Amino acid sequence: TSLWAHVPNPYMDQSPLVAYIKAMLDEYDSLGENAAYRKDIMEATRQAISNLSWFFVEELRLAYGKRYIDAVSYYGAELLSLYDIQIAIVSTDETMLLGRWLEKAKRLGHTAAEKTYFEWNARTQITLWSHREGSEELRDYSAREWQGLLEDFYRPRWESFISRLELSLLTDKPLEHINHYDEEVPFTYQKKAYTTMPFGCLKTAVEAALAKINETKIIYKADAEKQPTFEENVMNDMIK
């Protein structure tokens, strides 16, 4: 999600991590109420889905480079589908909720105007980080994979970008420049309220994640990290 994140091998072998998640899941009925257990299995599963997303990003990059519009649409849809899975995972953990961050910030204000200021500041810190000039260097610096951010900030960003890829191929025109600040700054002024209480079934979310990983056939490539990453190629526009 974050532009500051290390770009892993998109064809990595996830079998050790998946085996760990499955072993943890086998103990869910007896340990499902244990906070440490829930944190561990949530984080492991969240990471596995995050790793999988890079496979779809890489296939999306390759499809655009080869001008295969149907493949761009397919891998774009697959990438976006991971958001529902990831949201279901993190929504079960109170530390992964945007609402808790925003409500804590608003409590610092004594008047309605002060509460607006502190909420705007809290939203800006985890997205653009700063004003227009500052965001050019520090955008996404404090990125979080939180419920609320995933569905209302990161997924729309990818939806917009994938649409641009499709339109570029459909119209046979270069990928248009993206003004990230102008597109993303509206989120910082929003007042949408988010839950402060975790929800959903962690076991069901983990099972859905494992099913998605299992159905995605990836040919492991040990030297895939030597390939150009999406930042170095067509998707370089994402970080300008």
Side-chain angles (χ1 to χ4, degrees):
T1 308
S2 171
L3 302 174
W4 290 73
H6 168 67
V7 180
N9 178 348
Y11 305 103
M12 69 169 61
D13 179 10
Q14 290 220 85
S15 58
L17 180 56
V18 169
Y20 171 78
I21 295 170
K22 288 181 176 178
M24 291 281 285
L25 188 60
D26 287 342
E27 304 302 322
Y28 190 91
D29 291 341
S30 59
L31 297 175
E33 299 302 316
N34 182 280
Y37 167 85
R38 293 180 65 86
K39 174 64 73 173
D40 282 351
I41 194 170
M42 183 278 292
E43 288 288 5
T45 310
R46 179 199 60 75
Q47 186 60 56
I49 290 298
S50 180
N51 293 343
L52 179 60
S53 73
W54 289 106
F55 165 72
F56 291 127
V57 167
E58 178 67 3
E59 292 301 308
L60 185 61
R61 181 190 72 83
L62 294 174
Y64 181 80
K66 295 177 182 178
R67 308 190 67 78
Y68 294 162
I69 188 170
D70 288 344
V72 166
S73 297
Y74 173 78
Y75 286 113
E78 286 292 290
L79 176 63
L80 293 175
S81 74
L82 297 184
Y83 276 93
D84 290 332
I85 297 173
Q86 196 76 314
I87 291 166
I89 294 167
V90 301
S91 295
T92 64
D93 189 308
E94 64 178 10
T95 68
M96 304 293 282
L97 305 178
L98 175 61
R100 293 176 67 86
W101 170 258
L102 297 181
E103 292 303 316
K104 182 178 180 180
K106 287 189 285 186
R107 285 197 296 271
L108 296 173
H110 299 290
T111 66
E114 288 179 348
K115 290 180 183 295
T116 294
Y117 168 76
F118 283 115
E119 179 173 3
W120 165 81
N121 188 67
R123 286 172 176 265
T124 299
Q125 185 176 344
I126 55 177
T127 55
L128 294 169
W129 182 264
S130 182
H131 47 65
R132 185 182 297 273
E133 292 74 22
S135 70
E136 292 179 1
E137 297 294 331
L138 294 171
R139 170 174 162 265
D140 265 358
Y141 178 71
S142 186
R144 298 287 189 272
E145 286 188 23
W146 287 345
Q147 181 274 330
L149 273 178
L150 289 171
E151 56 262 49
D152 288 343
F153 187 76
Y154 293 115
R155 180 161 56 190
R157 188 161 80 178
W158 271 106
E159 287 172 338
S160 174
F161 183 65
I162 292 167
S163 293
R164 282 179 163 90
L165 294 179
E166 292 173 320
L167 291 173
S168 170
L169 295 180
L170 194 63
T171 62
D172 197 28
K173 293 181 179 180
L175 186 65
E176 65 178 54
H177 174 70
I178 302 174
N179 187 320
H180 295 290
Y181 186 86
D182 286 346
E183 289 202 6
E184 297 172 10
V185 73
F187 177 84
T188 66
Y189 294 109
Q190 292 175 6
K191 293 291 191 69
K192 178 179 177 179
Y194 294 91
T195 182
T196 59
M197 298 296 293
F199 61 92
C201 176
L202 178 57
K203 183 178 183 180
T204 299
V206 172
E207 290 172 338
L210 290 175
K212 185 64 178 180
I213 293 170
N214 184 61
E215 75 178 31
T216 306
K217 305 304 179 184
I218 301 176
I219 300 176
Y220 173 57
K221 298 179 182 179
D223 61 347
E225 287 181 303
K226 299 177 183 178
Q227 300 177 1
T229 65
F230 84 107
E231 284 99 339
E232 297 168 334
N233 289 284
V234 62
M235 294 188 183
N236 187 53
D237 226 308
M238 283 286 288
I239 58 175
K240 290 182 179 178

